[in-house]
Amino acid sequence: MKWVEKTFDQLTTNELYTLLEHRTDVFVVEQNCPYKEVDGRDDECVHIWLEDDGEMLAYCRILPPQTSDEYDAIGRVLVTKKARGKGYARDIMNKAIDKLKQRRDVEKISLHGQEHLRYFYASFGFEEISEVYLEDDIPHVDMLMKL
């Protein structure tokens, strides 16, 4: 197994297709949630995934802040269906957090997590900073980690 970390411009066509396919499988199909998965932000993100023999097992992206009062964020965290239950969600979160900790300009990390995962994210040190709200008919909560 190996970790891969790439900017949008470094992604091959096949890698981009694969990560969009997995994101659509998880966030649109599995969750029965039709929404615009391709949100126009991938070109500014760092994409991180774990692969085994060329097969993507877990993925997330790191998004830069869009305004001066926002923070870098971890998003689109997923583990493929066949790779679940092996600790890869924790591994991908640790990898993304470590990546952001390496940068001296990052003081806080944000995420918009699904409510049922709030305790999972809290286990890394994220704290809830919003009430639960619906996004695409799925309960979410905004969370922030201070480094």
Side-chain angles (χ1 to χ4, degrees):
M1 283 197 279
K2 72 173 184 175
W3 287 103
V4 181
E5 179 183 309
K6 293 188 175 187
T7 64
F8 184 80
D9 291 336
Q10 294 170 324
L11 293 170
T12 67
T13 305
N14 284 338
E15 289 168 339
L16 178 60
Y17 180 89
T18 298
L19 71 87
L20 291 174
E21 179 180 39
H22 286 307
R23 285 176 16 190
T24 302
D25 286 347
V26 171
F27 299 116
V28 178
V29 178
E30 280 184 33
Q31 297 179 3
N32 192 26
C33 182
Y35 78 104
K36 187 175 178 183
E37 171 49 38
V38 180
D39 62 1
R41 302 241 12 229
D42 284 309
D43 62 340
E44 57 188 309
C45 295
V46 173
H47 302 270
I48 300 172
W49 67 89
L50 178 63
E51 68 178 31
D52 186 25
D53 198 25
E55 183 177 356
M56 189 178 292
L57 304 175
Y59 165 87
C60 75
R61 67 180 186 178
I62 296 175
L63 300 97
Q66 289 187 296
T67 65
S68 61
D69 63 340
E70 290 184 355
Y71 305 100
D72 288 88
I74 299 172
R76 300 297 201 267
V77 179
L78 69 84
V79 176
T80 60
K81 198 175 237 181
K82 72 180 235 175
R84 293 180 189 156
K86 299 176 182 168
Y88 298 144
R90 185 160 296 282
D91 293 344
I92 194 81
M93 283 298 297
N94 281 324
K95 187 72 171 174
I97 291 167
D98 289 346
K99 170 74 177 168
L100 287 164
K101 282 182 175 177
Q102 291 172 7
R103 293 188 21 217
R104 296 176 197 254
D105 63 327
V106 177
E107 297 176 7
K108 298 177 183 178
I109 304 169
S110 69
L111 62 80
H112 307 287
Q114 293 185 11
E115 180 191 21
H116 71 97
L117 295 170
R118 68 197 321 174
Y119 299 113
F120 171 72
Y121 293 127
S123 74
F124 295 95
F126 284 90
E127 297 177 3
E128 295 178 33
I129 58 168
S130 76
E131 296 295 323
V132 174
Y133 60 91
L134 286 180
E135 182 174 309
D136 299 312
D137 290 327
I138 296 174
H140 281 72
V141 63
D142 294 338
M143 302 184 82
L144 192 66
M145 171 195 266
K146 298 175 185 171
L147 300 181

